[in-house]
Amino acid sequence: MRNQSVLVSGASIAGPTLAYWLHRYGFDVTVVERAPRLRPGGQAIDFKGPTHRTVLERMGVWEEITRQRTGTTDLVFADESGRELAVMSGDFTGGDVEILRGDLARILYERTAGKCEYLFGDSIAGLSETADGVHVEFEHAPARTFDLVFGTDGIHSRVRRLAFGPERDYVHYLGYYYCIAGTAGLGHDPDEPPVRIRSTGYNAPGRLAVRGGFKAAQHYIFASPEIDIPRDDVHAQQRILADAFAGIGGPVPAMLAELPGLEDFYLDSLSQVRLDGHYTKGRFALVGDSGYGNTLGGFGTGLALVGAYVLAGELAVAGGDHTLAFARYDEIMRRYAKIAGNSNAGRFLAPRTARGIRMRNWFFRSRSFALMTKYADRAAKDIDLRDYPALVGAAV
Ligand SMILES: Cc1cc2nc3c(=O)[nH]c(=O)nc-3n(C[C@H](O)[C@H](O)[C@H](O)COP(=O)(O)OP(=O)(O)OC[C@H]3O[C@@H](n4cnc5c(N)ncnc54)[C@H](O)[C@@H]3O)c2cc1C
């Protein structure tokens, strides 16, 4: 096997999935994660359709994921007095199985921890590619050389920045910010069947505030010119949110007042990564949000899972030859990742005018919404998924 030693940057969804498959095909895998330990909590994410399920079953994690699943959240849009105006069904937003991102990351990590090397609390500081490998400098660990380096480090990927170019060339701001605060409001008992609950959303032009549900205790979306977010200053971020929602009534003032008491606060732009179908370069490849992320409504988790499965599988089938494998990966994902490119969830969830909000609410009550849900189901399985483990003869 060529290109035996590989470095994976980022240990959320794409990273441990890639690590799992590469290890299973005989590669020596090191994973570096910036956070000091596995990050718990986060929003609920979902899988939809037979393609996602097939990959999860081939990894042997489907059962556990369904055991840890949260449930389905219908989002009820209400007016100031709480009167129901429209419902966005959780069947559209939640897929077939919904699980907290942190729970999924832990399941994937546990499958790989004893077999792959994990470096927590560290990050790639510099990359230089030679004909035979990639010389990697870390922020803390001593420098090492790997045959291949993979960026699974999310929408603000450092591997992409160092190997492909600056973020502004690839990450396109979609005109909105989102914020999640507090972990999912309700606990879930893995021994009980999944339940269906409701969250309540309140719209003002260009604004949406949501309380409750399995996604998070609160979440917000707001239209805005681009802001330079102070990444390490949560209080400053909370002020940005409060300013964006100043003067808005309904449940919003009470929600904002609760913010300081909630654990986990995350504010970021709704952005889309656009690499025009070229997710690889030299000895580097991007997988998941770093290559084809679209923050919200872009099937990000399923794409990360399938992308990692395809990349590892193509490498194994090609006997480690990255030039062959990367070309195939680009070709397959160029088509499949198109589903990420079709949505700007901000525009849909927080229309910028009162008329736009009324039209959107009408849309939820119409037959077109049911058709859109069907389209989403179809797009999620629009790939000819090769049975790589069988092709390679990899043992479970
Ligand atoms: C509010 C919200 C709701 C969402 N809802 C859904 C949903 O319902 N369904 C769905 O399918 N998807 C959803 N998504 C998208 C989903 O979360 C992502 O698509 C998915 O997590 C992609 O996984 P990833 O592993 O590519 O990247 P990420 O999950 O972003 O993980 C990147 C990892 O890399 C690490 N990292 C970052 N920089 C470095 C560095 N320099 N060095 C080392 N490590 C680094 C990070 O700490 C993190 O662990 C949602 C996203 C958001 C923000």
Side-chain angles (χ1 to χ4, degrees):
M1 176 85 78
R2 291 172 56 188
N3 292 321
Q4 194 76 31
S5 73
V6 300
L7 176 66
V8 175
S9 171
S12 173
I13 310 303
T17 306
L18 187 62
Y20 170 87
W21 284 110
L22 287 171
H23 168 79
R24 197 161 143 186
Y25 298 135
F27 293 88
D28 298 326
V29 185
T30 299
V31 184
V32 59
E33 163 61 47
R34 181 177 57 185
R37 64 194 75 81
L38 218 53
R39 295 162 58 199
Q43 74 282 2
I45 44 92
D46 59 273
F47 295 108
K48 203 181 202 80
T51 300
H52 299 170
R53 180 170 176 162
T54 300
V55 176
L56 294 167
E57 282 178 342
R58 286 181 187 161
M59 295 176 76
V61 295
W62 174 255
E63 293 292 319
E64 188 164 357
I65 286 172
T66 48
R67 246 180 64 74
Q68 297 285 325
R69 69 196 299 177
T70 54
T72 305
T73 307
D74 293 324
L75 172 54
V76 177
F77 292 92
D79 67 10
E80 284 204 2
S81 66
R83 185 173 60 101
E84 180 176 317
L85 301 172
V87 180
M88 184 164 77
S89 164
D91 297 329
F92 176 63
T93 53
D96 300 337
V97 56
E98 188 166 297
I99 180 169
L100 295 183
R101 195 204 54 77
D103 287 346
L104 177 62
R106 181 185 41 75
I107 292 170
L108 297 172
Y109 169 72
E110 283 168 4
R111 290 294 189 289
T112 48
K115 302 162 182 163
C116 305
E117 178 189 20
Y118 273 85
L119 305 173
F120 282 101
D122 207 347
S123 187
I124 295 172
L127 295 169
S128 43
E129 184 178 356
T130 65
D132 308 319
V134 182
H135 183 71
V136 180
E137 283 166 48
F138 294 97
E139 284 179 357
H140 303 296
R144 282 158 70 173
T145 297
F146 296 88
D147 294 325
L148 302 172
V149 174
F150 302 116
T152 57
D153 43 1
I155 213 151
H156 303 294
S157 168
R158 185 172 291 185
V159 172
R160 190 187 57 227
R161 177 162 63 75
L162 293 172
F164 288 68
E167 180 160 316
R168 65 175 177 278
D169 291 351
Y170 300 107
V171 178
H172 295 264
Y173 175 54
L174 297 176
Y176 285 85
Y177 284 83
Y178 75 92
C179 163
I180 41 179
T183 40
L186 292 171
H188 60 285
D189 181 346
D191 294 323
E192 293 295 324
V195 291
R196 193 169 195 109
I197 58 167
R198 298 185 133 202
S199 59
T200 309
Y202 177 70
N203 273 119
R207 306 281 183 271
L208 171 68
V210 180
R211 192 206 282 274
F214 285 119
K215 292 268 180 219
Q218 297 186 0
H219 58 269
Y220 301 84
I221 291 178
F222 59 95
S224 165
E226 215 164 345
I227 306 168
D228 195 9
I229 295 182
R231 297 244 164 248
D232 299 323
D233 186 347
V234 170
H235 296 296
Q237 293 178 23
Q238 290 187 347
R239 278 198 300 278
I240 290 173
L241 182 73
D243 288 348
F245 281 82
I248 292 176
V252 172
M255 287 174 67
L256 292 175
E258 286 167 20
L259 273 182
L262 295 176
E263 274 178 41
D264 272 356
F265 181 91
Y266 194 74
L267 176 74
D268 202 354
S269 60
L270 290 188
S271 298
Q272 187 181 43
V273 180
R274 295 183 196 150
L275 280 138
D276 294 329
H278 298 286
Y279 315 112
T280 61
K281 189 176 178 191
R283 293 179 170 273
F284 305 102
L286 303 173
V287 186
D289 275 11
S290 63
Y292 24 80
N294 184 4
T295 328
L296 266 184
F299 299 93
T301 314
L303 271 173
L305 177 88
V306 172
Y309 172 80
V310 168
L311 179 60
E314 290 296 336
L315 265 170
V317 167
D321 182 336
H322 67 287
T323 43
L324 279 179
F326 284 7
R328 286 278 301 152
Y329 169 69
D330 276 346
E331 187 188 322
I332 294 168
M333 292 311 289
R334 190 174 298 141
R335 179 178 146 78
Y336 189 55
K338 275 199 182 131
I339 56 175
N342 290 335
S343 67
N344 180 345
R347 259 195 332 237
F348 188 61
L349 291 168
R352 287 174 187 253
T353 61
R355 183 163 177 272
I357 294 171
R358 282 197 301 278
M359 301 260 299
R360 193 277 320 272
N361 288 346
W362 169 84
F363 176 73
F364 281 131
R365 296 190 294 267
S366 74
R367 216 178 104 65
S368 314
F369 180 53
L371 290 175
M372 189 163 133
T373 307
K374 263 204 186 125
Y375 166 77
D377 289 352
R378 222 180 32 237
K381 63 179 182 203
D382 191 14
I383 186 172
D384 183 13
L385 199 67
R386 298 175 85 186
D387 188 349
Y388 298 109
L391 284 170
V392 180
V396 180

